[in-house]
Amino acid sequence: MARALALARRAIGRTSPNPMVGAIVLDARGRCVGRGFHAQAGEAHAEIVALREAGDRARGGTLFVTLEPCTVHGRTPPCVDAVIAAGPRRVVVAAKDPNPRVDGEGIAKLREAGIDVTVGVLEFAARKLNRPFEKNIVHGAPFLRAKLARSYDGIVGSHARRVRISDPMMERTTMRLRAEADAILVGVGTVQIDDPLLTVRDARYPARTPVRIVLDPHLRTPPQASLFKEPGEVWLIHGPGANLKPLESLKNVTFIELPLDPKGQLDTKALMGEWKRRSIRSVLVEGGPTTLGRLWGHIDEWVIYVHDAPLLDLPEPVFADLGRPLHLSIDSVVRRAHDWEIVAHVHRDH
């Protein structure tokens, strides 16, 4: 199953709105005879690719798949029928499909066909891989992942000093996170101070160009900002009455007007609705404290870089630097040079 999950990850950034899925077929003697992954939305699903490679050798063998075979006819036929026709003796599934239209039906159909089914092998890793898909399909809302750097004395930008993340491995992580997202989000303050490109600069993801979004209530983004010089779409989300003239001659820029709340900030509920309407299913938030504060209650996962401040003794930390406690469960802690990378997901009652 670990090998199937590794195959699934090869499609990072290319399967939305579908999940990332990998599959491996063993023949009746336990030899690997087929491998596959869902390479892109609209193309064959992982099970189909692996079974095609295996051919008749799949009969009497075992199929490992990271997500329950689908029963829904979308852009491709239901996978469960093809699996049954291939005749494996056993199917091992990492996680049930969270789609309410499937949700165990594929597993039930396999068992009705006399196939031995095992469910839950490396389930956490499989569900973690497809958290954006799960939130979209179950809750109909975009998945938000926040990335920030933190020094020992607090969140970068809200306390005494800023920490630069310069470790090459962390740069690679940032590029992967960007490649996984449909959109990358910052506030106008980050554009003015850091002048970021917000692009995916990694040979592993050559064709990935997520939408770059700037929250800018009063349109203070400078026309000479570097993000306008890179290929790909830029969305400037602003409030009523903002002056578009200094920026309206820029190419590939979309202006989106949303209402402001009583504090003069963009209305968060309207923002979420706009993303849903425009099919933005996952967002990487790279903004500073103001942007994080606005989206605080909507963020699902945090990727936190901590400089010389290990949190290994906090399995259930309360992360409250912005004034509101946030209950997290740590998924992973990795030591990189003088920094720690902590990935944690949010406990939330939907």
Side-chain angles (χ1 to χ4, degrees):
M1 190 62 75
R3 292 168 65 187
L5 285 165
L7 285 171
R9 293 187 188 98
R10 292 187 183 181
I12 283 175
R14 292 185 282 143
T15 63
S16 181
N18 295 345
M20 289 181 278
V21 183
I24 288 180
V25 179
L26 307 183
D27 66 12
R29 296 174 60 183
R31 298 172 299 188
C32 182
V33 293
R35 304 173 183 83
F37 63 95
H38 181 43
Q40 189 167 316
E43 295 188 4
H45 290 187
E47 306 96 307
I48 305 304
V49 176
L51 289 169
R52 284 175 182 168
E53 183 178 305
D56 291 339
R57 296 173 294 176
R59 194 161 299 278
T62 302
L63 168 67
F64 288 82
V65 62
T66 61
L67 192 69
E68 173 185 3
C70 65
T71 58
V72 177
H73 198 300
R75 283 186 277 187
T76 58
C79 292
V80 68
D81 297 336
V83 173
I84 292 170
R89 176 185 61 85
R90 184 185 183 209
V91 174
V92 182
V93 177
K96 289 173 61 177
D97 192 332
N99 188 340
R101 299 172 64 193
V102 182
D103 192 25
E105 186 178 327
I107 293 167
K109 288 192 70 172
L110 293 173
R111 286 175 172 157
E112 289 169 5
I115 297 172
D116 179 20
V117 182
T118 300
V119 183
V121 177
L122 296 184
E123 179 180 4
F124 178 81
R127 290 187 64 188
K128 181 176 182 293
L129 184 67
N130 286 308
R131 280 179 185 159
F133 170 74
E134 183 168 338
K135 186 176 182 189
N136 276 273
I137 204 73
V138 175
H139 302 290
F143 177 87
L144 270 63
R145 175 183 284 132
K147 181 183 76 71
L148 61 85
R150 169 194 169 103
S151 66
Y152 69 91
D153 52 1
I155 293 180
V156 171
S158 65
H159 286 71
R161 60 189 179 87
R162 180 185 298 270
V163 173
R164 289 289 180 183
I165 301 302
S166 57
D167 183 271
M169 288 303 295
M170 290 187 178
E171 181 69 13
R172 284 173 61 87
T173 298
T174 296
M175 293 301 112
R176 175 180 60 78
L177 294 174
R178 289 180 178 180
E180 289 179 352
D182 290 338
I184 303 165
L185 174 75
V186 296
V188 63
T190 295
V191 176
Q192 292 174 323
I193 296 169
D194 295 337
D195 194 25
L197 297 174
L198 303 179
T199 53
V200 181
R201 301 180 298 280
D202 192 312
R204 295 174 295 169
Y205 319 107
R208 191 63 180 141
T209 54
V211 176
R212 290 163 293 158
I213 301 175
V214 181
L215 299 185
D216 188 358
H218 308 291
L219 280 184
R220 295 182 291 116
T221 300
Q224 66 274 18
S226 295
L227 78 167
F228 296 128
K229 302 172 185 176
E230 296 293 319
E233 288 185 78
V234 176
W235 293 358
L236 296 179
I237 302 183
H238 60 88
N243 182 14
L244 277 61
K245 287 186 177 180
L247 299 162
E248 60 186 1
S249 63
L250 295 169
K251 296 181 179 179
N252 299 322
V253 176
T254 299
F255 297 93
I256 300 172
E257 181 179 313
L258 293 181
L260 300 179
D261 64 18
K263 295 183 179 180
Q265 298 295 323
L266 291 163
D267 184 84
T268 306
K269 184 177 180 180
L271 179 63
M272 295 296 156
E274 190 68 20
W275 284 340
K276 182 178 179 180
R277 190 176 72 82
R278 294 176 181 264
S279 298
I280 296 295
R281 297 175 174 87
S282 61
V283 180
L284 177 63
V285 184
E286 294 196 38
T290 300
T291 301
L292 291 173
R294 296 296 303 164
L295 299 173
W296 188 260
H298 298 274
I299 293 171
D300 303 286
E301 184 179 287
W302 293 81
V303 180
I304 308 164
Y305 299 131
V306 182
H307 184 69
D308 283 334
L311 297 182
L312 290 170
D313 58 340
L314 297 177
E316 291 276 346
V318 177
F319 185 38
D321 290 82
L322 294 183
R324 283 159 288 174
L326 190 65
H327 295 276
L328 307 175
S329 276
I330 291 180
D331 298 339
S332 62
V333 179
V334 179
R335 176 70 162 168
R336 304 188 195 277
H338 297 291
D339 299 289
W340 296 82
E341 178 190 283
I342 299 103
V343 179
H345 65 275
V346 179
H347 290 291
R348 181 182 295 120
D349 293 327
H350 289 281

